[in-house]
């Protein structure tokens, strides 16, 4: 049974030249998942299709659940690593132990996430492995960085329920962080029917085992999705120097909430005269380092 009408779908998984595309429930009454290829005659002008992309499909075969992708809808944004389109929220996930919390990695992940101009949240997992006192110190610390931290612990299932309620209000949330911190465990707690593979961290190398290999998008309600991603460590970032102040809540909140004004409109908040930023926050030295390395990068590119 073939049907030549066009339908709108969402790419939930990608492997080689195949895509899994979820069709909207309204077409057939139930949510249908189709295995698709791109129609040969279509040239997307060297554009790739990513998980999270909205596509139009055609040649729908309801029996074999196959179809062809015929067009790609304009995307709102595209995260480069891992490649995911149309994200509304980024959840940066770190464990407090196993693997040990690495603040400079937390920093890099947060900055990379902020550069996507979407809502960014911080989640700490494995809170059963340290004392409540230490957890409170971390909550306090990250609060000063501008993030209200969500703390999780496998023994306290109600915390996962609260997070699920929150995630259902977002369109497409992505879980990002190093390997072994518990991203897939979190997903399994939220969608118990999934039971995706997880693995303990290696005691020998004290890192995760890269258990999740693919980016995959899961539905949690009619209009809400979560993306699980393979863990990795974030490399130093190469960000446009003028954008850096917008990537630190400690800075942009002073501008937005307190209305601080510096003498020069594009003030980089170094030790310039006329700068009114309150610089007494923990990550200021990190901010300055990033400005310096971006400047070097900038001059190097000019010389190339
Ligand atoms: N003690 C404790 N262990 C946890 C908790 N959450 C997850 N773990 C364990 O951490 C290990 C790694 O979890 P995964 O969910 O596979 O980690 P991941 O972030 O998906 O890792 P990659 O897929 O490699 O990126 C598993 O053995 C989990 O059981 C927790 O709250 N407490
Ligand atoms: Mg995983
Ligand atoms: Zn300034």
């Amino acid at each position: 049974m073939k049907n030549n009408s066009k339908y709108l779908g969402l790419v939930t998984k990608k492997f080689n030249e195949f895509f899994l595309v979820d069709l909207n429930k309204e077409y057939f009454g139930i949510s249908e998942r189709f295995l698709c290829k791109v129609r040969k005659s279509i040239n997307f002008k060297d554009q790739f299709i990513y998980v999270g992309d909205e596509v139009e499909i055609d040649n729908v075969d309801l029996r074999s659940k196959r179809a062809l992708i015929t067009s790609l809808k304009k995307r709102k944004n595209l995260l480069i690593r891992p490649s995911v389109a149309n994200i509304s929220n980024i959840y940066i996930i770190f464990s407090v132990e196993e693997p040990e919390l690495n603040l400079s990695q937390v920093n890099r992940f947060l900055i990379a996430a902020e550069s996507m101009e979407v809502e960014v949240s911080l989640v700490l997992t494995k809170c059963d492995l340290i004392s409540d006192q230490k957890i409170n110190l971390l909550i306090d610390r990250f609060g000063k960085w501008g993030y209200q931290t969500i703390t999780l612990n496998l023994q306290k299932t109600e915390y996962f329920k609260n997070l699920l309620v929150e995630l259902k209000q977002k369109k497409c949330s992505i879980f990002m962080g190093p390997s072994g911190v518990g991203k897939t465990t979190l997903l399994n707690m939220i969608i118990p029917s999934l039971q995706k593979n997880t693995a303990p961290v290696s005691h020998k190398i004290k890192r995760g085992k890269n258990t999740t290999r693919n980016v995959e998008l899961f539905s949690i309600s009619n209009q809400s999705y979560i993306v699980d991603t393979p863990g990795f460590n974030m490399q130093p970032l190469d960000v446009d120097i003028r954008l850096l102040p917008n990537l630190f809540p400690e800075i942009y909140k002073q501008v937005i909430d307190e209305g601080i004004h510096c003498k020069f409109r594009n003030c980089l908040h170094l030790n310039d005269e006329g700068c009114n930023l309150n610089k007494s926050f923990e990550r200021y030295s990190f901010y300055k380092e990033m400005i310096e390395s971006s400047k070097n990068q900038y001059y190097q590119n000019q010389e190339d």
Side-chain angles (χ1 to χ4, degrees):
M1 189 171 71
K2 281 217 169 148
N3 184 331
N4 280 328
S5 320
K6 289 193 169 179
Y7 300 100
L8 211 56
L10 182 71
V11 178
T12 57
K13 199 169 175 178
K14 175 177 172 172
F15 37 101
N16 304 326
E17 74 270 40
F18 289 101
F19 301 87
L20 279 182
V21 177
D22 272 10
L23 276 206
N24 205 317
K25 277 198 183 82
E26 68 206 32
Y27 294 125
F28 302 107
I30 43 164
S31 181
E32 295 274 5
R33 174 164 281 198
F34 288 83
L35 183 66
C36 300
K37 272 180 146 183
V38 176
R39 174 174 281 162
K40 278 215 180 70
S41 57
I42 308 278
N43 177 359
F44 287 130
K45 296 191 197 94
D46 298 328
Q47 276 218 70
F48 292 106
I49 297 176
Y50 296 105
V51 168
D53 264 327
E54 260 200 314
V55 291
E56 228 167 43
I57 65 173
D58 202 342
N59 279 64
V60 173
D61 187 332
L62 285 175
R63 201 171 309 139
S64 68
K65 298 268 161 55
R66 283 178 171 249
L68 292 176
I69 294 176
T70 54
S71 77
L72 170 64
K73 294 281 162 195
K74 191 174 179 326
R75 54 175 79 105
K76 292 187 192 78
N77 58 32
L78 177 66
L79 185 70
I80 299 299
R81 190 179 173 195
S83 300
V84 186
N86 299 320
I87 297 161
S88 64
N89 291 74
I90 300 181
Y91 284 80
I92 299 298
I93 322 261
F94 272 81
S95 53
V96 292
E97 278 293 343
E98 296 184 16
E100 200 181 338
L101 188 67
N102 176 332
L103 288 179
S104 109
Q105 277 294 319
V106 179
N107 242 323
R108 284 183 192 168
F109 269 96
L110 288 174
I111 300 292
E114 291 284 350
S115 71
M116 289 295 296
E117 295 180 8
V118 298
E119 205 183 320
V120 179
S121 308
L122 180 62
V123 177
L124 293 180
T125 61
K126 311 199 190 185
C127 289
D128 49 307
L129 299 181
I130 61 171
S131 67
D132 284 352
Q133 196 192 359
K134 279 189 177 161
I135 294 168
N136 287 333
L137 286 175
L138 287 170
I139 292 176
D140 202 41
R141 183 171 205 165
F142 293 128
K144 288 186 183 135
W145 289 18
Y147 298 93
Q148 211 181 349
T149 311
I150 300 163
T151 53
L152 297 176
N153 165 352
L154 278 181
Q155 269 88 53
K156 300 230 168 102
T157 47
E158 70 271 20
Y159 291 9
F160 292 90
K161 289 195 188 116
N162 295 344
L163 181 55
L164 178 60
V165 171
E166 177 178 318
L167 290 165
K168 279 187 174 166
Q169 289 159 13
K170 324 282 181 187
K171 201 158 187 303
C172 185
S173 307
I174 182 169
F175 293 168
M176 276 174 81
S179 180
V181 298
K183 299 178 293 299
T184 307
T185 306
L186 171 53
L187 182 78
N188 286 339
M189 292 294 284
I190 286 172
I191 317 176
S193 58
L194 280 181
Q195 292 316 315
K196 291 276 164 188
N197 284 345
T198 63
V201 295
S202 151
H203 282 287
K204 216 157 127 204
I205 50 171
K206 293 196 163 38
R207 273 192 271 119
K209 291 178 182 162
N210 292 98
T211 312
T212 306
R213 298 279 175 177
N214 291 305
V215 171
E216 193 170 350
L217 200 146
F218 302 95
S219 165
I220 43 172
S221 76
N222 217 349
Q223 292 299 322
S224 252
Y225 295 89
I226 307 178
V227 190
D228 189 21
T229 66
F232 65 96
N233 282 325
M234 185 69 80
Q235 298 306 310
L237 301 160
D238 178 16
V239 189
D240 183 337
I241 203 168
R242 287 159 300 183
L243 297 180
L244 272 175
N246 304 336
L247 308 183
F248 286 78
E250 303 96 316
I251 299 177
Y252 67 68
K253 283 190 177 163
Q254 285 193 46
V255 176
I256 297 168
D257 299 348
E258 297 160 35
I260 67 135
H261 268 296
C262 301
K263 188 169 166 195
F264 302 105
R265 211 164 60 90
N266 294 326
C267 183
L268 285 176
H269 314 301
L270 299 172
N271 293 316
D272 311 330
E273 58 142 322
C275 178
N276 288 322
L277 186 85
N278 177 358
K279 302 178 179 68
S280 58
F281 56 93
E282 187 188 357
R283 291 199 299 168
Y284 184 65
S285 56
F286 178 70
Y287 168 76
K288 271 205 307 199
E289 265 168 42
M290 281 195 79
I291 294 268
E292 286 310 318
S293 71
S294 306
K295 264 185 189 163
N296 294 340
Q297 193 75 33
Y298 178 77
Y299 292 124
Q300 242 166 31
N301 288 345
Q302 297 271 302
E303 283 163 18
D304 284 348

